[in-house]
Amino acid sequence: MRVRAEGAESSEHLHGFRIADFKSTGMIRRCTDKDIKKWNAETREERLHALESQLVTDLLRAVALFKHPVMTTALIAGDMVLLDIMHRQGLLQKLPVVFIDTLHLFPETDSFLQTVEKHYNFQTARYTAVDCSCKEDWNKVYASDLYLTNPGEYDDIAKVEPLLRALQDTKSDAWINGRRRDHGFDRANLPVYEKGSPVKVNPLAYWTFEDCWDYIRIHNVPYHPLHDQSFPSVGDVHSTRPVYDKKKWWEYGGERSGRFQGLNNDDGSPKTECGIYTFSENSLEIAATDDS
C-alpha cells in the first residue's frame, strides 16, 4: 500500500487543476496538429505565469532584506522585463538603477534610454569613464582605438571601473542584474542569489530568451529598436553584429551570438564576457557599516 506524504497533492488534484477539468471536453481519440499547438501555447502561458510570480518574489525579497540594493541595466530584452516588473511592483523609486555608458554605444541606445525613462517615469544613474562625459572626451583622454589595441584595458576603463564606482557610491550590498543561464556556458550554473560583495541577485537566471520575449509581447513592453534590425543583443558599436538567422536567436547562447565580435581575451580565446560580471572581489571594498 502506497502512503502519500502529508500535504502532498494527489494526482487527481494537481496545482489547482483536477483531471476532470481536462476531461470536460471529452477524451482525445486522435491528436491533431491543432491540439499540439494549443497545448504548447497553454504550457508556455502557464510557465510564464510561474516565472513572473517567482521573479516578483525574488525582487521583493532583495529590496526588503538588503539595505542598499542597486540594479544595473543595459536596456536589452531581459533588462526590460526586469524594469517593467519593478515598475509594476512600485520598486523603481526604491533603489538606484545604474546605466553604464561606455561612450561607444549605438546612438539608438542613447535615445531609447530617454524613451524608457519617460515611459516608466524614473531616472537612471549614468556612469562613464573617469574624466569623460562624451566620446570626444574619451578620444582626448584615451586612445580612440583602445578597444582594438588592448580590449582588456578598454573593458576596465569603460565598463568595470564605472561599475565599481557606482556600487561604491551606492554602498551596494545587493546587485540586481539580468544575467541568465541560457546566455552561454560561462553562466550555465548561475544561481538566483550569488555570494559575493555585493551579493549578485540574478532573478532571471532560470528564464530563457524566448520567455523574455513572451513577456515583452504579452505586456507590451518597450524594447530596443535595434532588435527589429536583427540584433538579438546590443552592446558597443564596434563589437556588436546583427544575427540575420532568427532561428539562431533561440538556440542556447544565441542571444549573445552577435556580441564581442572580433575580440579575444588576453590568452587568445574568443571573448564572451566584458569583465563587468567577472571582476575580482578584491577590486571592490564596500563599507558594510550601519550608517542609520
Side-chain angles (χ1 to χ4, degrees):
M1 176 179 178
R2 290 185 179 179
V3 179
R4 182 163 57 93
E6 184 179 352
E9 294 178 287
S10 73
S11 60
E12 291 288 328
H13 193 278
L14 186 64
H15 302 303
F17 290 104
R18 296 172 302 161
I19 288 180
D21 295 331
F22 297 105
K23 288 183 176 179
S24 60
T25 56
M27 294 289 287
I28 296 294
R29 293 186 177 181
R30 181 171 175 271
C31 183
T32 66
D33 290 343
K34 184 177 180 180
D35 292 326
I36 294 296
K37 184 176 181 180
K38 175 176 178 291
W39 297 333
N40 279 329
E42 290 175 350
T43 297
R44 286 178 66 174
E45 183 179 346
E46 292 155 5
R47 169 184 167 81
L48 189 61
H49 178 74
L51 287 171
E52 286 184 48
S53 178
Q54 185 61 52
L55 176 54
V56 169
T57 297
D58 287 321
L59 289 173
L60 292 175
R61 179 185 288 128
V63 173
L65 298 184
F66 292 93
K67 189 171 184 179
H68 299 292
V70 63
M71 174 185 168
T72 53
T73 183
L75 305 178
I76 53 180
D79 291 344
M80 294 310 303
V81 171
L82 285 178
L83 286 173
D84 189 75
I85 286 189
M86 291 183 69
H87 169 72
R88 291 170 181 268
Q89 295 298 316
L91 298 177
L92 279 182
Q93 310 304 329
K94 296 183 181 297
L95 78 169
V97 179
V98 172
F99 178 77
I100 304 299
D101 185 350
T102 66
L103 304 176
H104 294 73
L105 301 175
F106 287 86
E108 290 87 346
T109 299
D110 292 328
S111 59
F112 182 55
L113 175 61
Q114 298 176 36
T115 298
V116 170
E117 289 178 332
K118 183 177 181 180
H119 181 82
Y120 291 117
N121 190 29
F122 82 114
Q123 189 76 38
T124 56
R126 177 175 172 265
Y127 279 78
T128 60
V130 174
D131 297 328
C132 297
S133 61
C134 61
K135 184 65 179 300
E136 289 71 22
D137 290 341
W138 174 279
N139 290 341
K140 292 178 182 178
V141 178
Y142 309 103
S144 61
D145 62 347
L146 184 62
Y147 63 87
L148 285 175
T149 59
N150 195 330
E153 184 180 2
Y154 168 79
D155 286 346
D156 288 343
I157 295 172
K159 304 174 185 180
V160 178
E161 190 283 328
L163 170 69
L164 296 180
R165 189 165 12 106
L167 296 177
Q168 289 173 329
D169 287 350
T170 57
K171 299 181 180 180
S172 175
D173 53 356
W175 169 19
I176 301 169
N177 66 88
R179 289 183 301 161
R180 303 193 314 272
R181 288 184 167 208
D182 75 325
H183 276 152
F185 294 110
D186 291 334
R187 303 177 181 183
N189 298 310
L190 195 69
V192 175
Y193 300 94
E194 194 174 357
K195 185 178 180 180
S197 177
V199 171
K200 294 175 186 175
V201 182
N202 313 305
L204 295 179
Y206 292 96
W207 287 54
T208 67
F209 195 35
E210 190 171 13
D211 293 329
C212 293
W213 278 103
D214 283 345
Y215 180 94
I216 287 172
R217 294 188 186 100
I218 289 173
H219 296 286
N220 197 28
V221 177
Y223 59 84
H224 200 297
L226 287 182
H227 290 314
D228 287 335
Q229 297 183 37
S230 298
F231 288 84
S233 184
V234 183
D236 286 335
V237 174
H238 59 261
S239 59
T240 307
R241 300 290 182 270
V243 179
Y244 295 108
D245 182 0
K246 286 293 182 70
K247 291 182 180 179
K248 190 171 181 60
W249 286 33
W250 317 116
E251 295 175 357
Y252 182 77
E255 178 185 2
R256 290 159 61 83
S257 58
R259 297 288 300 277
F260 310 114
Q261 296 299 297
L263 299 179
N264 293 318
N265 296 310
D266 292 338
D267 62 4
S269 61
K271 197 169 185 61
T272 59
E273 293 281 357
C274 66
I276 283 183
Y277 298 105
T278 56
F279 61 82
S280 169
E281 288 185 15
N282 295 329
S283 303
L284 181 59
E285 295 179 1
I286 298 178
T289 56
D290 186 345
D291 59 356
S292 59

